[in-house]
């Protein structure tokens, strides 16, 4: 499998491509990383250095890949945080060109906008761009529950309402929706869930909630689920593998006392997930 991953990069820590590339490689995926920013560290620190890459320069890198005749071999285009409006145009154009070269290629979009605790943390134009132009050309989207609500102008907070919101998102274009950070009042205490919704059905997995915030965990989640699901076509299996790997990555990080994901130290969890969580079909 080859994945063209258009995301941010940081020198210190693990977000964007700096979070997604290694886990994908560890499960045997060939990754072509294209950077949208090249920062010293993620912006959660409040201070960082380095450039946001001009969209024209991002486009030039992708054109150079196309010049090598690689587009027919690309199975997945993956995108995450979009720092500016221009990157969205580059991604949309790239998706069209890759799919022209390989009609079986898919586009997986992590529509990063914010979360329930912080609200939206991207430029005001980005959520509109995602909803109106980017998500409609995607095959897979991986929003958290907050982002799903924004995309569909709903307020999902139960299994039924989250399913309904996911169906509204699927009506926009994507056939598969992975909803992360699913919270509902009737769930067991100190748990959190993920839900996958496809044409074939819907599945949910519940894990303990860990007392931490880990930048980059969503990027790892989107990358692993996309790769597993593209390989197998089995959403329940992809959900189980992803939940297992990411939970163990977060546990290792929490135990380390470090702020940044212990990405390399957790590599065995990607290659050989423990599959310790039960996936339940909800539709």
């Amino acid at each position: 499998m080859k994945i063209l991953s258009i995301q941010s990069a940081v020198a210190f820590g693990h977000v964007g491509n700096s979070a997604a590339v290694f886990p994908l490689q560890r499960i045997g995926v060939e990754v072509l990383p294209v950077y949208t920013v090249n920062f010293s560290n993620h912006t959660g620190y409040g201070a960082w250095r380095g450039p946001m890459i001009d969209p024209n320069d991002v486009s030039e890198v992708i054109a150079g890949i196309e010049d090598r005749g690689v587009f027919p071999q690309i199975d997945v285009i993956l995108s995450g945080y979009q720092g500016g409006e221009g990157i969205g145009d580059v991604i949309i154009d790239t998706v069209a060109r890759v799919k022209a070269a390989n009609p079986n290629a898919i586009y997986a979009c992590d529509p990063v906008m914010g979360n329930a605790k912080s609200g939206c943390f991207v430029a005001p134009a980005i959520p509109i761009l995602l909803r109106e132009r980017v998500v409609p050309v995607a095959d897979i989207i991986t929003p958290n529950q907050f982002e799903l609500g924004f995309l569909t102008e709903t307020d999902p907070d139960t299994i039924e309402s989250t399913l309904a919101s996911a169906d509204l998102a699927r009506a926009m274009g994507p056939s598969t929706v992975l909803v992360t950070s699913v919270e509902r009042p009737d769930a067991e205490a100190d748990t959190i869930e993920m839900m996958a919704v496809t044409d074939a059905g819907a599945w949910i997995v519940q894990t303990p909630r860990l007392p931490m915030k880990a930048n980059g965990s969503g990027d790892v989640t989107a990358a692993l689920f996309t790769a597993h699901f593209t390989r197998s076509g089995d959403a329940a299996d992809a959900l189980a593998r992803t939940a297992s790997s990411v939970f163990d990555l977060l546990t290792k990080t929490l135990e380390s006392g470090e702020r940044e994901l212990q990405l390399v130290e957790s590599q065995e969890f990607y290659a050989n997930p423990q599959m310790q969580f039960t996936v339940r079909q909800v539709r």
Side-chain angles (χ1 to χ4, degrees), residues 47-142:
W48 64 92
R49 299 182 184 230
M52 182 174 288
I53 311 298
D54 187 277
N56 291 327
D57 292 329
V58 177
S59 184
E60 277 293 292
V61 172
I62 294 168
I65 296 170
E66 186 177 24
D67 290 343
R68 302 284 71 78
V70 180
F71 276 13
Q73 303 169 27
I74 291 174
D75 301 291
V76 178
I77 308 102
L78 174 65
S79 72
Y81 169 74
Q82 297 181 24
E85 295 178 68
I87 295 298
D89 293 327
V90 172
I91 291 169
I92 292 166
D93 178 62
T94 301
V95 169
R97 282 156 50 198
V98 169
K99 288 193 170 191
N102 177 12
N104 293 319
I106 64 166
Y107 169 39
C109 170
D110 186 5
V112 178
M113 288 181 274
N115 56 58
K117 289 186 173 62
S118 307
C120 273
F121 51 63
V122 297
I126 297 299
I128 309 302
L129 170 74
L130 287 166
R131 182 166 59 202
E132 296 183 357
R133 298 189 55 219
V134 181
V135 166
V137 301
D139 300 286
I140 299 172
I141 59 170
T142 59

Side-chain angles (χ1 to χ4, degrees), residues 90-253:
V90 172
I91 291 169
I92 292 166
D93 178 62
T94 301
V95 169
R97 282 156 50 198
V98 169
K99 288 193 170 191
N102 177 12
N104 293 319
I106 64 166
Y107 169 39
C109 170
D110 186 5
V112 178
M113 288 181 274
N115 56 58
K117 289 186 173 62
S118 307
C120 273
F121 51 63
V122 297
I126 297 299
I128 309 302
L129 170 74
L130 287 166
R131 182 166 59 202
E132 296 183 357
R133 298 189 55 219
V134 181
V135 166
V137 301
D139 300 286
I140 299 172
I141 59 170
T142 59
N144 60 39
Q145 192 176 36
F146 169 85
E147 292 161 341
L148 176 66
F150 187 93
L151 285 172
T152 57
E153 298 179 281
T154 59
D155 188 21
D157 63 350
T158 64
I159 288 180
E160 291 73 20
S161 61
T162 302
L163 276 170
S165 297
D167 286 339
L168 287 173
R170 293 172 68 239
M172 297 165 65
S175 58
T176 298
V177 177
L178 173 71
V179 191
T180 63
S181 301
V182 173
E183 299 187 59
R184 54 190 176 92
D186 56 339
E188 294 176 38
D190 299 319
T191 62
I192 197 157
E193 295 167 315
M194 287 198 294
M195 178 188 291
V197 186
T198 75
D199 291 338
W203 297 264
I204 198 164
V205 63
Q206 185 179 87
T207 69
R209 180 195 299 271
L210 297 171
M212 63 185 299
K213 179 191 175 198
N215 294 85
S217 57
D219 303 317
V220 176
T221 300
L224 288 177
F225 178 83
T226 296
H228 289 312
F229 182 59
T230 302
R231 269 182 174 156
S232 69
D234 185 334
D237 180 73
L239 191 59
R241 290 179 181 277
T242 302
S244 174
S245 297
V246 173
F247 180 81
D248 283 340
L249 164 64
L250 292 175
T251 300
K252 174 79 79 173
T253 301

